[in-house]
Amino acid sequence: MALIYFRCIRMNHLFLHPSSPFTKKSGVLFCTLQASHAQVATQVNFQNQGKQKEKSIQTATKKTLEHHKHGYEAIIGIETHVQLSTLTKAFCSCPYLYGTRPNTTICPICMGLPGTLPVLNSKVVEFAVKLGLALNCELSMNSKFDRKQYFYPDLPKGYQISQFDVPIATKGFIDLDLPVEFGGGHRRFGITRIHMEEDAGKLLHSETGSYSQVDLNRAGVPLLEIVSEPDMRSGVEAAEYAAELQRLVRYLGVSNGNMQEGSLRCDVNISVRPTGQSQFGTKVEIKNMNSFSAMNRAIDYEISRQVLLHREGQSDQIVQETRLWDEAAQKTFTMRKKEGLADYRYFPEPDLPEVVLVKEYIDEIRQSLPELPEAKRRRYEKLGLSMQDVLFLANDNNVADFFDAAVENGADAKLAANWIMGDIAAYLKNERRTIDEIKLTPKELSELIAFIKNGTISGKIGKEILFELISKGGTVKSLIEEKDLVQIVDPATIGALVDKVLAANPKQLQQYRGGKTKLQGFFAGQVWNCGSFAILLVPCDEGIQG
């Protein structure tokens, strides 16, 4: 029914019957699909099931996972959809901006109207080749698009333009380092394929669940789907794989990789088998994970659930299905069963020509690739940085660029890393800003480190200057001179200041000599005010010395 109504829409005039499921609200077109009472009841029932507590497993903690997993092996593969940061959609000239009003960036092509023809956005191919090269894939010199047939309210054409048997890239791999807190270590995970496709629209569900509205702004937005080999064995490995993909697409500039906006979406396939068994177990798909930590917990929970069913002799209850992660209940629950493999009736897209790549085009893109996260981590290791430093700095390309610029300006690598990971990172977190939004420059950070290293200023003064530079800008040298912050290190000068303070405070000196040692702080403060440096006063036989 939804397809029939979409086919009848005219762009300039909307002829809507009062009983039509299309409604006009605030100038925005909605397609409203009424749900039956049975459908609503089923949905509510699934939600209730997701909130019920299981007696055997409450949360998927690492401790319980290791206990349950003994004697069993988890097999994990991930399908990742990356939304590309192109100016226009994959097959039309409509823009896409997240958060825009529903159905305001659409055209006849987005809506799948009869007589429309798609035109491929060349940037989609360029970004696909970039990602394929970055993931060490074999590129297909000749690939094609296919129609993937399925029917859903947010898919107005009744099919999705995708790639089936000849994807643009295959047989790749990705290297990553696990965080130190999770045991560390290097991992390599295989990439089965990368293919280009278009996104579907989005359903906006009512609070009561009695109806849904269709927003087609996202329809036709270009995607790259990355299918991994089933090489992962734990939630940590899977989450780090996804995080590395996010870093990679951000380094390449092909996507913002924002999971909250849906720019990076991961569907995880999990099965469990007894250790040593070659045959895979029944695969379960997990959706609805909007952070890497949620992905980690969801996978570990699902592994525990399946292992427990195996141990209790109920492995037949593990069925091929799609389950959703409930963040509040910290568990997965059934979304829909899969009776068998879906028949998408693929056939070549007749309205689009083959995608033909030439060596010169690929070489040009290869030359334009930036230094990627894995290469950057290995370079930082050679600078003598710890793995913790390496992972922090390489995680964000802007942070890495800032660090590199500071080192190029003469800063000691370890000291620059300490300042960035310590006070600068704390400021960014508290103020919710990024490193390219502050006024401190890499050159001034290197100057600050140099002034502390040669004794011109103390570390304490350095911190005061740092926060001034971050918030207001300026130069280290000008701030030192303006605030008279030069540290006095000459013994003769220090001795003269001490004598001056003692002479000016005879009463306090007598009290100190009489045993009132708390006055040590008083004298230190007086000397500090005189000379802009820190000094430690210690008792001696003749009274007080610096």
Side-chain angles (χ1 to χ4, degrees), residues 140-310:
S140 300
M141 304 305 286
N142 293 77
S143 64
K144 65 182 177 67
F145 284 99
D146 300 276
R147 289 187 179 182
K148 180 181 180 181
Q149 318 275 341
Y150 68 95
F151 299 97
Y152 205 68
D154 60 12
L155 193 69
K157 293 194 295 284
Y159 63 86
Q160 177 190 34
I161 300 178
S162 182
Q163 291 188 298
F164 177 46
D165 53 332
V166 190
I168 194 165
T170 57
K171 300 178 183 177
F173 63 86
I174 187 170
D175 289 312
L176 57 90
D177 296 285
L178 295 182
V180 178
E181 59 267 29
F182 295 119
H186 189 79
R187 297 288 189 277
R188 172 172 289 185
F189 301 123
I191 302 295
T192 304
R193 58 183 280 155
I194 302 172
H195 63 261
M196 302 176 284
E197 63 184 21
E198 62 177 339
D199 210 344
K202 187 177 182 181
L203 291 180
L204 307 176
H205 304 293
S206 67
E207 293 182 1
T208 61
S210 59
Y211 66 91
S212 297
Q213 296 171 314
V214 181
D215 176 14
L216 294 179
N217 281 348
R218 199 176 66 181
V221 170
L223 299 176
L224 291 179
E225 181 172 347
I226 307 156
V227 182
S228 81
E229 290 289 326
D231 291 344
M232 287 147 270
R233 297 293 180 266
S234 69
V236 169
E237 289 186 351
E240 288 305 315
Y241 164 86
E244 184 71 5
L245 281 183
Q246 183 189 64
R247 277 188 287 271
L248 195 61
V249 298
R250 287 176 172 176
Y251 268 61
L252 293 171
V254 303
S255 174
N256 64 21
N258 193 323
M259 294 185 78
Q260 285 70 35
E261 294 180 3
S263 299
L264 187 91
R265 308 194 291 271
C266 296
D267 298 334
V268 181
N269 295 302
I270 306 170
S271 66
V272 166
R273 65 186 178 188
T275 303
Q277 178 179 299
S278 59
Q279 183 180 356
F280 289 160
T282 303
K283 180 178 66 176
V284 173
E285 183 182 46
I286 308 296
K287 291 178 177 285
N288 197 39
M289 299 160 292
N290 61 5
S291 71
F292 301 127
S293 60
M295 181 184 297
N296 186 356
R297 295 192 302 274
I299 292 171
D300 285 351
Y301 171 86
E302 183 59 24
I303 294 171
S304 296
R305 186 187 73 85
Q306 292 187 28
V307 168
L308 190 60
L309 289 172
H310 272 282

